[in-house]
Amino acid sequence: QQQVKQSPQSLIVQKGGISIINCAYENTAFDYFPWYQQFPGKGPALLIAIRPDVSEKKEGRFTISFNKSAKQFSLHIMDSQPGDSATYFCAAVFGAQKLVFGQGTRLTINP
Amino acid sequence: NAGVMQNPRHLVRRRGQEARLRCSPMKGHSHVYWYRQLPEEGLKFMVYLQKENIIDESGMPKERFSAEFPKEGPSILRIQQVVRGDSAAYFCASSPSGRVEQYFGPGTRLTVT
């Protein structure tokens, strides 16, 4: 019940395209869902986050879509750029507690 | 405003030695979390601390690992008698009291030879 499942494991998108990464969870007690971006040799950086009472949140080219009934959420990167090439992790948390991470998606944007 | 600081950034230890990893949270943050990332894997929670208290250590191996966050100074993750399987990147995150956002440091990459 503590798992967060993330797909795909790797993703290649052409420059200017839309990158979509999906996550699913089981624990309905989770109340905060962040996405992190990690470049090689660096720590994860908080990218965008959503609470389950909102179905969508947009910040610049990054959008989270949230489906509470399906217990799924996804990250959309519009107009993907080579600088977006990184590993992306979804996560879930209940309260101010431990983050439960998905397995990660290695995104490559081809120029 | 400095971010989460971790040192050392790289640490090499021989099997059987001790490893000490340090984490200074962001200014004003009183909650510290430690996570471990094995090569090509996601991050796994280890321990959650507040000043002088361990709140949740459910992710910590029962033996050889310990953590503290003293009243003064950085949080310390200590690994005694390291083994090759301890080789990983160890990340510290911090958050302010009453908030859920966690901000990560650059990590300490531990290599056990």
Side-chain angles (χ1 to χ4, degrees):
Chain A
Q1 265 217 328
Q2 287 294 317
Q3 279 190 326
V4 175
K5 296 183 179 178
Q6 183 173 345
S7 63
Q9 230 176 349
S10 61
L11 179 63
I12 300 174
V13 174
Q14 291 300 119
K15 179 183 175 182
I18 303 173
S19 304
I20 302 174
I21 305 169
N22 302 298
C23 286
Y25 64 98
E26 294 183 1
N27 188 348
T28 55
F30 288 139
D31 60 1
Y32 176 74
F33 301 87
W35 285 88
Y36 284 85
Q37 179 188 56
Q38 185 178 32
F39 293 104
K42 305 293 185 184
L46 181 60
L47 193 60
I48 187 172
I50 198 168
R51 291 211 182 257
D53 54 348
V54 176
S55 61
E56 185 175 281
K57 183 174 181 180
K58 184 176 180 179
E59 288 183 3
R61 295 185 295 109
F62 299 91
T63 300
I64 300 178
S65 297
F66 191 88
N67 187 329
K68 188 175 181 179
S69 60
K71 291 186 282 187
Q72 295 175 347
F73 58 110
S74 60
L75 176 69
H76 296 232
I77 306 174
M78 313 299 287
D79 187 26
S80 300
Q81 299 297 312
D84 297 329
S85 297
T87 299
Y88 292 80
F89 292 96
C90 63
V93 65
F94 167 65
Q97 302 294 330
K98 59 189 176 188
L99 286 165
V100 179
F101 282 91
Q103 298 89 329
T105 296
R106 182 173 291 182
L107 175 65
T108 302
I109 308 300
N110 282 337
Chain B
N1 191 12
V4 178
M5 299 179 69
Q6 291 188 248
N7 66 80
R9 295 292 307 277
H10 299 274
L11 183 62
V12 180
R13 285 286 178 265
R14 291 199 181 107
R15 278 182 301 168
Q17 291 185 319
E18 178 179 288
R20 283 191 178 222
L21 288 62
R22 294 174 185 77
C23 168
S24 295
M26 288 177 72
K27 187 176 181 181
H29 288 197
S30 56
H31 298 213
V32 166
Y33 308 79
W34 286 92
Y35 295 85
R36 177 165 64 176
Q37 185 174 37
L38 294 169
E40 305 299 322
E41 291 190 16
L43 294 99
K44 303 292 186 189
F45 167 79
M46 299 183 74
V47 62
Y48 164 33
L49 311 103
Q50 295 177 20
K51 285 284 188 182
E52 300 185 283
N53 284 304
I54 297 175
I55 307 302
D56 180 356
E57 56 181 348
S58 59
M60 286 272 274
K62 293 289 185 280
E63 297 178 350
R64 303 186 298 108
F65 285 73
S66 62
E68 63 176 4
F69 189 16
K71 188 176 180 181
E72 301 291 337
S75 175
I76 306 285
L77 179 67
R78 182 183 178 204
I79 311 172
Q80 295 179 290
Q81 299 176 312
V82 296
V83 300
R84 288 222 173 97
D86 297 332
S87 294
Y90 291 82
F91 292 98
C92 166
S94 72
S95 68
S97 181
R99 300 294 300 266
V100 297
E101 299 90 351
Q102 294 183 26
Y103 299 92
F104 282 78
T108 293
R109 279 145 186 88
L110 172 65
T111 302
V112 179
T113 61

